[in-house]
Amino acid sequence: MVQSTAPSVILHVDDDRDTLEITRLALQVVDSFTLHQFDNAQAALSRVTDLRPDLLLLDVMMPGMSGPELWSALRIMQGAGEIPTIFMTARADDEALADLVRQGALHVITKPFDPMTLGAQIRE
């Protein structure tokens, strides 16, 4: 991951409540990021422009609209198209994950992740 400045506002989308809570504890409580979380892509899509996040943290597999589909929708929105994006997934398909990076994602974090190092991974 290469980023010139560390993000302070993160928009996180994941359909799993446990992942949302663990991520909240890791990023908001431990690492003091401002974190906006959504359990579905549509809710995040409707709020992204007014929240103005520095980083998107998106689950790959979600019902309704996947993380990559959300990312595609955001990339064409004025004011959201250039937001750096990191994906999180339990998927082990290396080629699919590498494809996300080739398309412009900063990084892909595999689940389960270490909550104690998540903030450091994002800051890198």
Side-chain angles (χ1 to χ4, degrees), residues 31-102:
D31 284 296
S32 301
F33 287 101
T34 300
L35 187 65
H36 301 282
Q37 294 184 300
F38 298 91
D39 64 2
N40 68 79
Q42 287 295 342
L45 193 58
S46 71
R47 295 286 315 279
V48 68
T49 54
D50 55 297
L51 294 175
R52 303 178 57 154
D54 300 312
L55 177 77
L56 302 172
L57 184 59
L58 307 178
D59 184 20
V60 170
M61 296 183 299
M62 296 184 288
M65 180 185 283
S66 71
E69 291 170 336
L70 171 59
W71 190 37
S72 292
L74 290 169
R75 290 171 91 176
I76 60 173
M77 287 178 64
Q78 185 174 11
E82 298 300 319
I83 301 170
T85 302
I86 295 174
F87 284 94
M88 297 177 80
T89 186
R91 233 168 100 177
D93 180 356
D94 291 337
E95 184 58 33
L97 302 181
D99 190 49
L100 290 171
V101 174
R102 280 193 294 274

Side-chain angles (χ1 to χ4, degrees), residues 13 18 20 22 35 38-39 42 82 94 98-99 109-110 113 115 118-119 121:
V13 186
D18 291 337
L20 287 170
I22 291 166
L35 187 65
F38 298 91
D39 64 2
Q42 287 295 342
E82 298 300 319
D94 291 337
D99 190 49
I109 297 171
T110 56
F113 57 90
L118 183 60
Q121 281 184 284

